[in-house]
């Protein structure tokens, strides 16, 4: 087990002038073996054309560094909502944005796009799940790629859907292209949604029974500022929240998750990224309770 390869990294930025090349450099500077990025700002749908993003240069560095491109993750913007049809403009825009995000993901040589399932607003879970499955059908008929969408397990803030494994399984069942769908399990979100995140074996068993572990494409490794069931979705640094270091360490090293990329989305501390230290501790298993002090 000593040299077991673990796919671990964080979300990274993509800014001028180096764009994707800069993203790859940032990931490598944390000691990452994979990473996640947004192809533009997470909060809006404005996107620069892919030919301006130094993709070839980034991919060259990925190859030189020995990273496995099939483990890279793209995250879709979060303001879209393909689960509610009441606002027709937003429903159509959301489908267009997801089609474009799938095509952009393919242009980076990546094959997994994380998507928040959306919110039912006032329509209830069942209708929202139908709407999303219908939207996904149309999206997969239009996009022309083989990129898979990983539906993220959500915390249950507001009227979010996808907050139980059953809801995620239902979306996959209703979609006519289930081979294009997988799941992103977020440790902060499942705890906030009400799962006992500390029972890692139990969680994975339940996931396997309801969804199937073969669908688990990525795990988001985050601590939570709030207790189990709080439905808040506020991420905390590793070891400082209600999930805790030992549980997050178990997710990183669990044999059932060997090939699954693990991505940290923990908050910056005094405008500095915490990922190098967090990744180091999660790999070594040695938690330093004062590690954040060096950021002050
Ligand atoms: Fe997310
Ligand atoms: Fe997440
Ligand atoms: Zn979150």
């Amino acid at each position: 087990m000593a040299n077991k390869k673990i796919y671990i990294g964080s979300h990274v930025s993509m800014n001028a002038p180096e764009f994707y090349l800069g993203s790859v450099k940032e990931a490598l500077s944390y000691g990452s073996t994979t990473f996640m990025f947004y192809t533009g700002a997470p909060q809006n749908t404005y996107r620069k054309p892919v030919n301006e993003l130094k993709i070839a240069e980034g991919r060259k560095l990925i190859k030189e560094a020995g990273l496995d491109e099939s483990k890279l993750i793209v995250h879709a913007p979060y303001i879209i909502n393909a689960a509610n049809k009441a606002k027709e403009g937003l429903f159509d825009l959301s489908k267009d944005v997801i089609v474009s995000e799938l095509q952009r993901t393919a242009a980076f040589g990546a094959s997994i796009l994380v998507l928040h399932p959306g919110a039912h607003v006032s329509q209830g879970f069942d209708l929202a799940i139908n709407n999303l499955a219908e939207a996904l059908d149309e999206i997969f008929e239009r996009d022309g790629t083989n990129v898979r969408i990983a539906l993220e397990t959500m915390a249950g803030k507001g009227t979010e859907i996808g907050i139980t494994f059953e809801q995620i399984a239902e979306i996959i069942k209703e979609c006519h292209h289930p081979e294009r769908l997988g799941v992103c399990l977020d440790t902060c979100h499942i705890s906030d949604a009400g799962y006992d995140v500390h029972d890692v074996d139990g969680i994975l068993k339940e996931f396997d029974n309801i969804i199937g572990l073969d669908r688990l494409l990525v795990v988001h490794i985050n601590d939570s500022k709030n207790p189990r069931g709080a439905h808040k979705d506020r991420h905390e640094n590793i070891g400082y929240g209600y999930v805790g270091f030992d549980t997050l360490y178990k997710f990183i090293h669990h044999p059932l998750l060997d090939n699954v990329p693990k991505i940290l989305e923990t908050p910056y501390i005094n405008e500095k990224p915490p990922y190098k230290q967090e990744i180091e501790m999660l790999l070594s298993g040695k938690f330093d309770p004062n590690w954040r002090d060096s950021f002050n």
Side-chain angles (χ1 to χ4, degrees):
M1 296 288 266
N3 287 314
K4 188 173 86 176
K5 172 132 187 169
I6 292 175
Y7 299 99
I8 184 171
S10 67
H11 62 173
V12 295
S13 53
M14 186 160 58
N15 298 317
E18 290 202 295
F19 297 105
Y20 194 46
L21 178 60
S23 308
V24 180
K25 285 182 181 172
E26 184 184 339
L28 294 173
S29 78
Y30 304 144
S32 303
T33 49
T34 185
F35 60 90
M36 181 176 85
F37 61 102
Y38 293 80
T39 78
Q43 313 85 350
N44 65 49
T45 58
Y46 169 75
R47 292 292 181 264
K48 244 184 179 337
V50 284
N51 59 16
E52 294 173 25
L53 296 177
K54 299 215 176 4
I55 294 177
E57 291 90 328
R59 293 186 76 178
K60 185 162 169 274
L61 183 55
I62 285 169
K63 229 182 171 168
E64 285 164 6
L67 301 192
D68 179 348
E69 233 173 23
S70 74
K71 302 292 179 190
L72 302 183
I73 311 292
V74 178
H75 198 307
Y78 16 84
I79 57 140
I80 51 174
N81 184 7
N84 183 280
K85 276 193 192 171
K87 270 195 189 165
E88 211 181 300
L90 182 61
F91 187 64
D92 288 338
L93 171 79
S94 298
K95 288 185 286 188
D96 291 345
V97 167
I98 296 166
V99 166
S100 152
E101 287 286 312
L102 286 163
Q103 293 164 345
R104 291 170 68 83
T105 300
F108 282 86
S111 52
I112 303 170
L113 176 70
V114 170
L115 177 72
H116 293 183
H120 69 73
V121 190
S122 59
Q123 300 192 307
F125 289 108
D126 292 347
L127 189 54
I129 285 167
N130 289 339
N131 292 339
L132 179 60
E134 181 195 315
L136 290 169
D137 283 344
E138 186 191 319
I139 287 160
F140 292 142
E141 271 141 40
R142 274 170 57 194
D143 74 304
T145 79
N146 296 315
V147 173
R148 289 177 81 182
I149 286 184
L151 299 166
E152 185 162 356
T153 58
M154 301 309 290
K157 199 172 70 178
T159 64
E160 278 172 349
I161 67 164
I163 64 177
T164 62
F165 298 161
E166 286 82 357
Q167 287 178 11
I168 300 264
E170 191 60 35
I171 298 164
I172 296 169
K173 200 182 103 192
E174 283 194 30
C175 176
H176 293 118
H177 302 273
E179 74 286 354
R180 300 281 308 270
L181 290 174
V183 179
C184 167
L185 183 88
D186 187 309
T187 56
C188 165
H189 297 178
I190 59 172
S191 175
D192 278 32
Y195 287 92
D196 177 9
V197 70
H198 304 108
D199 179 13
V200 180
D201 290 319
I203 293 270
L204 295 180
K205 196 168 173 218
E206 191 172 341
F207 188 101
D208 196 32
N209 287 338
I210 297 169
I211 299 172
L213 273 175
D214 55 328
R215 293 217 184 257
L216 185 51
L217 303 182
V218 47
V219 178
H220 282 170
I221 300 288
N222 300 308
D223 217 321
S224 176
K225 285 190 195 293
N226 295 99
R228 178 178 173 185
H231 305 300
K232 295 273 200 214
D233 191 4
R234 293 193 63 214
H235 302 186
E236 178 56 285
N237 290 113
I238 302 299
Y240 283 85
Y242 284 85
V243 180
F245 183 80
D246 293 348
T247 294
L248 295 169
Y249 180 85
K250 272 188 216 157
F251 275 98
I252 296 283
H253 296 271
H254 201 289
L256 287 175
L257 304 177
D258 273 352
N259 290 309
V260 181
K262 287 117 186 158
I263 301 292
L264 283 73
E265 307 172 290
T266 50
Y268 273 41
I269 307 165
N270 289 326
E271 282 147 51
K272 284 174 262 183
Y275 308 119
K276 189 175 193 308
Q277 285 83 348
E278 291 185 323
I279 288 170
E280 247 170 48
M281 290 190 297
L282 285 168
L283 288 176
S284 71
K286 286 184 210 100
F287 179 65
D288 171 4
N290 303 314
W291 72 266
R292 283 202 303 198
D293 295 356
S294 62
F295 285 80
N296 292 319

